[in-house]
Amino acid sequence: MKIILAGANGTMGKHVATLIDASNEHEIVAGIDQKENLYHTFPYYQHIEEFKGEADCIIDFSHYTVVPSLVAYALAHTLPIVVCTTGLSDETEASILEASKRIPVFKSGNMSLGINLLLALVKTSAKMLEDQFDIEIIEKHHHRKIDAPSGTAKMIANGINSALENPKRLVYGREGNHSKRQDDEMTIHAIRGGTIVGEHEVIFAGLDEVIEIKHTASSRTVFAKGAITAADYIFGKPHGLYDMDHLIYNL
């Protein structure tokens, strides 16, 4: 599989490239990045439109401002695309949905298989515990992460709400909130520090008992591996919007 890797010089791009370098089934034919190429031997371009070669799929670990051009290129060349970038605008989200009507698009707030298994577990738990337990989400990341809460935390919250008969109102931290916790709340707490790769914990707090479901990523390689697996999965698929649910239930 010939892959265009967007964000090739970023932290995640380097992890993807390292895995592909060790693979006999994948090849990076173009790296897209604003930064100067300091790491790899494949061709680099600042803008995806500059690449004139053949490719089978785009893997995106770039920046939210770059994603629209990647989606436009995928549409113009009828290429499947794996969108891993988070913090997308509503306009970009809408363009991705529109593109999925013509090409296969894989999109997830987190590319780890484990975190998506956590999501399946908490959705089931939330459905069973809705009337008796308060739900809190805690996410921890390294001090260089910009967006808060994380895209994964939002994905977990939205997943929980999709399983509830009465979706919760999202609250971000409790600063300035001088009232008792309301039954319709689900709070997301964001922690930033050190080199934490990623940790997400969902707490179900009930009367005299607490259930905690937690996922910890100790290396970014898990996200890179998930992205490559997603590219393999959508290659040859019909147009549509795919996510980790499609993948983990077809392993």
Side-chain angles (χ1 to χ4, degrees), residues 104-176:
V105 178
F106 192 105
K107 180 178 176 295
S108 177
N110 189 300
M111 298 308 298
S112 159
L113 295 177
I115 201 70
N116 285 278
L117 287 172
L118 174 144
L119 179 58
L121 291 171
V122 297
K123 287 168 68 175
T124 300
S125 302
K127 188 174 183 179
M128 297 175 65
L129 305 174
E130 177 173 359
D131 296 330
Q132 304 175 54
F133 285 71
D134 297 324
I135 306 173
E136 300 275 308
I137 299 170
I138 302 174
E139 60 97 343
K140 304 175 185 178
H141 285 88
H142 53 88
H143 59 210
R144 296 177 60 193
K145 185 171 179 62
I146 299 173
D147 56 319
S150 67
T152 301
K154 292 179 181 178
M155 179 179 73
I156 292 170
N158 291 334
I160 290 172
N161 269 340
S162 72
L164 298 177
E165 288 189 13
N166 298 299
K168 303 289 187 181
R169 174 172 54 89
L170 296 184
V171 176
Y172 301 98
R174 306 206 66 83
E175 171 69 25

Side-chain angles (χ1 to χ4, degrees), residues 27-86:
E27 174 191 5
I28 298 176
V29 293
I32 312 300
D33 207 299
Q34 295 293 311
K35 301 175 186 176
E36 181 183 357
N37 173 26
L38 300 175
Y39 306 101
H40 305 295
T41 57
F42 47 79
Y44 264 75
Y45 306 88
Q46 285 195 326
H47 306 285
I48 193 170
E49 297 84 1
E50 299 170 3
F51 176 64
K52 306 301 181 183
E54 297 292 325
D56 298 313
C57 187
I58 300 170
I59 293 180
D60 158 54
F61 272 110
S62 60
H63 188 268
Y64 69 90
T65 58
V66 178
V67 175
S69 65
L70 302 179
V71 173
Y73 186 94
L75 277 171
H77 295 81
T78 321
L79 290 178
I81 180 170
V82 179
V83 179
C84 307
T85 298
T86 60

Side-chain angles (χ1 to χ4, degrees), residues 109-122 136-141 150 152-153 155-156 196-204 211-224 226 244 248:
N110 189 300
M111 298 308 298
S112 159
L113 295 177
I115 201 70
N116 285 278
L117 287 172
L118 174 144
L119 179 58
L121 291 171
V122 297
E136 300 275 308
I137 299 170
I138 302 174
E139 60 97 343
K140 304 175 185 178
H141 285 88
S150 67
T152 301
M155 179 179 73
I156 292 170
I196 302 170
V197 173
E199 184 177 299
H200 293 84
E201 180 178 9
V202 181
I203 299 172
F204 295 91
I211 300 169
E212 299 175 353
I213 302 176
K214 179 179 176 181
H215 176 270
T216 301
S218 56
S219 166
R220 291 178 176 84
T221 300
V222 297
F223 310 125
M244 275 291 180
I248 64 178

